[in-house]
Amino acid sequence: MRRLPSPPVGPYAPPAPERELTVVSADGSRLHTELHGPEDAPAVLLAHGWVCSTAFWAPVVRALAADHRVIVYDQRGHGRSPAPGPGGYSTHALADDLVAVLEAALPSGRRAVLAGHSMGGMTLMAAADRPALRERAAAVVLCSTGASRLVDRSLVVPLRSPRARARVHRVLLGSRAPLGPVTPLARRLVRYATMGPGADPAAVDMCARILHACPRAVRGGWGRVLLDLELDARIGELTMPTAVIVGTADRLTPPEHADALAAALPHCTGLIELPGLGHMTPVEDPEAVTGVIRGLVEEFGTSHPTTAVEAKEQTT
């Protein structure tokens, strides 16, 4: 049976949605989706990362929902979205799910700023060739994420040999070992692996509870997809304005991933480095992440899609 995390309190408590719906993806997978904020406000869609859930975005949703229509959903197998069958773990499935949520939750003719954290950012890259993404995305935020070579570049295990470090990371990423209850040791491990040294203890506890609640089969299923992730060819297809965010102390997707993304994007609006932060940037500094999203909404949220060629013409 799936463990449900105890609800956090204060700024990390998930806000009550204005509406909930179940979105059905292309293969029949059911996706728990929440709508927050005024229906007629500028729209933002948030895609969470590996072993997380909609609860991960709570501080950002709270900051945006007063004057934005915020769409959040549980990636398949996470949170309240049921686990898929054995064939349901792939980047193609991630793209299918994103498109299904966009079409179900965003009214026809409306566009949104799409923000993805970690595997959520990989979801946006995986869907870069989908017409629905190009038509519905006013702008994109890639937050604490990478397109390839995840195990090679990870710094979680402090081994000097790159080859040995990559081998250990492969074992950890694909593991289905039970995580057990959230103990003081578990919190210390979560802080070390995913957050900066100055992270709020309440934020660490929130992340630990969310991560430990993910079913181990789902964790292992998606971990095996991430082991051999290869989305470099899709970066150039994200032709809409795109911002990249990274914490300088990110061990899971170190800044070299962000550097590579910023260099390959056709219309990168900026690379935002957050000093001392780890992988969980939307939780560690929700104000900074929210500020980037708001800026893109204000500049691009109501405009027509802008291609890289058009963007170049506008600056010449």
Side-chain angles (χ1 to χ4, degrees), residues 43-271:
V44 173
L45 181 144
L46 307 174
H48 70 74
W50 180 52
V51 301
C52 289
S53 68
T54 58
F56 175 83
W57 287 108
V60 174
V61 172
R62 284 187 177 279
L64 289 175
D67 52 359
H68 292 76
R69 183 64 158 180
V70 184
I71 303 164
V72 288
Y73 71 103
D74 285 324
Q75 301 263 27
R76 57 174 59 194
H78 297 76
R80 285 185 274 176
S81 294
Y89 296 95
S90 68
T91 55
H92 185 84
L94 290 175
D96 281 346
D97 294 352
L98 174 65
V99 168
V101 172
L102 276 173
E103 293 179 342
L106 194 62
S108 178
R110 293 192 60 188
R111 302 168 65 240
V113 169
L114 313 184
H117 171 260
S118 192
M119 193 175 81
M122 298 163 198
T123 300
L124 301 183
M125 288 183 269
D129 64 340
R130 303 294 181 95
L133 184 81
R134 299 185 183 189
E135 293 168 4
R136 311 306 291 278
V140 163
V141 179
L142 299 176
C143 188
S144 308
T145 191
S148 64
R149 298 183 60 196
L150 300 183
V151 295
D152 294 334
R153 291 173 170 169
S154 175
L155 301 174
V156 173
V157 179
L159 296 176
R160 290 186 178 181
S161 166
R163 182 174 297 179
R165 190 170 63 239
R167 283 200 298 267
V168 176
H169 287 146
R170 290 188 72 88
V171 171
L172 293 176
L173 199 59
S175 173
R176 295 179 56 175
L179 296 182
V182 177
T183 63
L185 174 59
R187 293 185 185 92
R188 287 197 293 272
L189 290 174
V190 166
R191 181 196 292 272
Y192 167 78
T194 72
M195 307 180 84
D200 180 356
V204 176
D205 182 72
M206 167 206 180
C207 290
R209 291 179 184 278
I210 291 173
L211 269 57
H212 278 238
C214 183
R216 59 178 178 166
V218 172
R219 169 165 45 87
W222 284 118
R224 287 188 292 275
V225 172
L226 301 181
L227 283 173
D228 300 306
L229 186 76
E230 181 49 75
L231 294 172
D232 288 330
R234 297 291 176 87
I235 303 172
E237 298 187 66
L238 284 174
T239 56
M240 64 289 296
T242 303
V244 181
I245 300 175
V246 67
T248 61
D250 188 340
R251 289 186 171 95
L252 285 173
T253 51
E256 64 181 300
H257 284 289
D259 294 339
L261 290 172
L265 285 164
H267 186 181
C268 181
T269 64
L271 170 56

